[in-house]
Amino acid sequence: MSSSMENCHVDVQNKLEVVRPATEVYAQEAIEALKAGKVIAVPTDTLYGFACDACSLEAVNRIYEMKGRKHTSPLAICVGDVSQIKHFAVTEYLPHGLLDSLLPGPVTVILRRGESSALEKSLNPGLDSVGVRVPDCNFIRVVARGLGKAVALTSANLSGQPSSLCIKDFENLWNRCAYVYDGGVLPSNRAGSTIVDLTRPGKYKILRPGSAKEETLAILEKHSLVEEAPAI
């Protein structure tokens, strides 16, 4: 970890005015930035991410532009608490207690959006599912609660480039953010969150092993879900 910390050291004199510590003191500032349609960079429990109001088409487009990402690649959303997921995705068919067992944590659950989803139609158009995160990270959860809406969240890097474990890793993109919130070096292996598709009742499919595959599998099996058979 010492070598990682050396690589992630940011000279204070070289920091732009955009950098802030990721503490609750600055949470309201981050909330106001999101409400204004701006993009911020935040730590999560796995990697650093770019975040914006998921209901702001302008902000969402800005994230795609920042990353050089194709609009065909969907963005996940982040909410402050598990209880908020039902406003944006269909959850009634899931086993009782499943989401509370998986989240908060380094897991992205893919759920059906449903007709009653509060998500803007312009977010991931054409898709009837959405990836949802509740990171085990206090700062982003406080910000999401304060926004009162879903936060669009994606890794803070250029598409195709390594993920970021510290703000130094994406220093070339700071000037495209309203603020960069520094949570130090994240204790991750760049694997990101484990992505699990839960769109089919009683079934699951691991789409990305990520950093919590074994723990996730144990929880899924405890709730009697079975792995979806691969398509023939």
Side-chain angles (χ1 to χ4, degrees):
M1 181 59 74
S2 59
S3 60
S4 296
M5 292 185 70
E6 288 172 7
N7 293 337
C8 288
H9 175 70
V10 179
D11 191 323
V12 174
Q13 291 184 340
N14 290 334
K15 280 190 176 183
L16 304 177
E17 288 297 318
V18 75
V19 177
R20 307 278 197 273
T23 62
E24 285 197 48
V25 173
Y26 293 95
Q28 190 58 44
E29 174 189 74
I31 293 165
E32 294 304 323
L34 294 184
K35 287 181 177 179
K38 298 178 180 178
V39 175
I40 61 175
V42 294
T44 71
D45 51 358
T46 53
L47 307 166
Y48 275 84
F50 291 136
C52 74
D53 178 355
C55 294
S56 170
L57 180 58
E58 181 182 353
V60 168
N61 285 338
R62 187 173 294 122
I63 279 185
Y64 278 105
E65 182 181 347
M66 288 169 62
K67 288 177 63 71
R69 183 174 183 168
K70 295 180 180 179
H71 280 70
T72 51
S73 298
L75 295 179
I77 64 167
C78 166
V79 295
D81 297 284
V82 176
S83 61
Q84 296 300 304
I85 296 176
K86 63 186 177 184
H87 299 302
F88 305 102
V90 180
T91 60
E92 292 86 352
Y93 63 92
L94 298 174
H96 178 71
L98 174 63
L99 292 180
D100 288 297
S101 297
L102 291 170
L103 304 166
V107 179
T108 299
V109 292
I110 308 296
L111 302 171
R112 296 185 305 203
R113 286 171 73 141
E115 291 300 317
S116 61
S117 174
L119 287 175
E120 288 285 324
K121 300 295 184 184
S122 58
L123 181 75
N124 306 335
L127 290 182
D128 58 4
S129 62
V130 63
V132 184
R133 288 222 61 199
V134 185
D136 188 11
C137 175
N138 188 59
F139 183 76
I140 184 58
R141 293 182 66 193
V142 169
V143 170
R145 290 187 195 114
L147 180 64
K149 295 184 285 185
V151 175
L153 187 65
T154 185
S155 57
N157 61 326
L158 292 173
S159 287
Q161 297 299 308
S163 302
S164 300
L165 297 181
C166 66
I167 65 170
K168 181 73 172 177
D169 287 344
F170 60 97
E171 187 174 9
N172 60 320
L173 300 174
W174 288 0
N175 62 352
R176 303 187 186 184
C177 301
Y179 300 106
V180 174
Y181 293 98
D182 188 359
V185 182
L186 303 181
S188 173
N189 58 2
R190 300 186 196 273
S193 61
T194 295
I195 302 178
V196 56
D197 186 334
L198 298 175
T199 56
R200 293 187 62 191
K203 307 281 188 180
Y204 75 85
K205 181 188 291 186
I206 300 293
L207 301 183
R208 182 174 74 187
S211 56
K213 180 183 176 182
E214 298 307 318
E215 301 93 315
T216 299
L217 287 175
I219 292 170
L220 295 170
E221 291 169 5
K222 179 180 178 182
H223 285 83
S224 302
L225 270 69
V226 297
E227 186 172 11
E228 189 175 334
I232 299 176

